[in-house]
Amino acid sequence: MTARRIIPCLDVKDGRVVKGVRFEGHVDMGDAADLAARYRDQGADELVFYDITASPEGRTLDYGWVRDIARLLDIPFSVAGGIRSVEQARRCLDNGADKVSINSPALERPELISDMADRFGAQCVVVGVDSKRSGDDWLVHQYTGDPTASRGSGRRTLDWIVEAQALGAGEIVLNCMDEDGVRNGYDIDQLSAARARLTIPLVASGGAGAASHFLGVFEQAGVSGALAASVFHSGVLAIPELKTFLADSGVEVRP
Amino acid sequence: MTAVTVVSYGAGNVASVQFALERLGATVRLNADPGEIADADRLILPGVGAAGYAMARLSDLGLVAPIRAFARPLLGVCLGQQLLFEHSEEGSGTPLLGLIPGVVHRLEPGPDRPIPHMGWSRLSTVRPDPLLDGVGDEAWAYFVHSYACPDGDATLARADYGGPVPAVVRRANRWGCQFHPERSAAAGARILKNFLELPA
């Protein structure tokens, strides 16, 4: 196994990082490039930039901004939000992004995953999945960036991730919406069920509020990485302390 | 200031490699012209994606012969390292540049070993080399790949991912990094700096 990855996620709106609770009510958390540089220096293993306005508003990404971030970082980063075509993905990668993450557009047109994988290789293609508990199952939601457009996709989460993998996804980021922004811990049951069905890397998202939550998801769900936003942006948890705690607890992390 | 040419052939992470070299103060030329590639002081061959597509691009651009004949320092990065070898299992089999003996093979997933091998792994040095000067024996590097090079005489450093993964290779004036030095923080920057300082 590789070192378990700690991945701050920056929800970006017009170059600013924002954070909402359960995807609603956004609060300004600072300049995106400044925060990215800070996390790089603190030992983040990877960064995700999610353009929260691009997808619901049908806008395209600001590729010049992607280029500025690529110039700044010496760690990998992926770009999410608003990527609906192979051409848009190409422009993100050409401007220095390491991976592109697609979510709602992949649900609309699953062959977008295979088109991108064929062109760029599976390692560049991340499929993000927003998932919500429904009875004793989990269902995929789409258009979650906009509370008025958010809705169920009619797909079972555990079926969709297997389909995405078969189509050529190189990694799944599973965002457990019931936990998102509430800092009560990752959804270990759901992530363990997802891990058992995949042979590609799985990244946990949603619910991180304390160092013990990271330990739990690595030890119990076997995920390759854990993504978190507000717990880092708010200063509740600093990456160096988190990594020291994980290393002391026997989880291999990059110092 | 050191000049370096990055082969810009439409199958590589050219921008991130360019930026990493610029952070080190190098003058970076992105180029796909056979004559200019042949005349470069030093050459970086990046690459992501499928080996077959990358080889077809090099062939279409007339770059196979100048890269094979290149006698000054050459560094293949990620897929660019794999292209240095003879053959890849990828697709229904793909002939490569043939500069280092051996066949590139597919990595198989296993328990606690998802594929692609994606993330940070430790490097363990097999033998010292100017490219690895100042890179500690337990340095971390960022890998993303589903195929791996054969472990043999060319291996300078390995990663462990359910078996030895050649992480840095060398044969004569050709070096390769399976990981992405441009995305491997301090260790990656040091390797690129060492490459820029190799006598051309």
Side-chain angles (χ1 to χ4, degrees), chain A residues 4 11 16 24 34 39 48 55-56 78 93 116 125 128-129 131-132 167 179 210 220-221 226-227 229 249 252:
Chain A
R4 307 288 171 161
D11 288 358
R16 306 288 296 177
E24 295 176 43
D34 288 349
Y39 291 138
V48 174
S55 195
S78 57
L93 297 169
M116 284 171 47
V125 184
V129 179
S131 178
K132 227 173 186 168
L167 287 166
E179 315 302 328
Q220 296 170 50
L227 185 146
S249 307
E252 187 167 55

Side-chain angles (χ1 to χ4, degrees), chain A residues 27-79:
Chain A
V27 180
D28 188 295
M29 310 289 274
D31 178 76
D34 288 349
L35 259 183
R38 195 171 94 201
Y39 291 138
R40 173 201 62 196
D41 295 341
Q42 289 180 347
D45 297 303
E46 184 175 329
L47 296 175
V48 174
F49 297 92
Y50 180 52
D51 185 332
I52 59 163
T53 48
S55 195
E57 293 174 11
R59 295 193 322 187
T60 57
L61 283 147
D62 181 344
Y63 302 109
W65 186 84
V66 173
R67 201 170 176 81
D68 290 343
I69 294 295
R71 199 171 262 130
L72 184 70
L73 292 180
D74 61 0
I75 56 170
F77 73 99
S78 57
V79 173

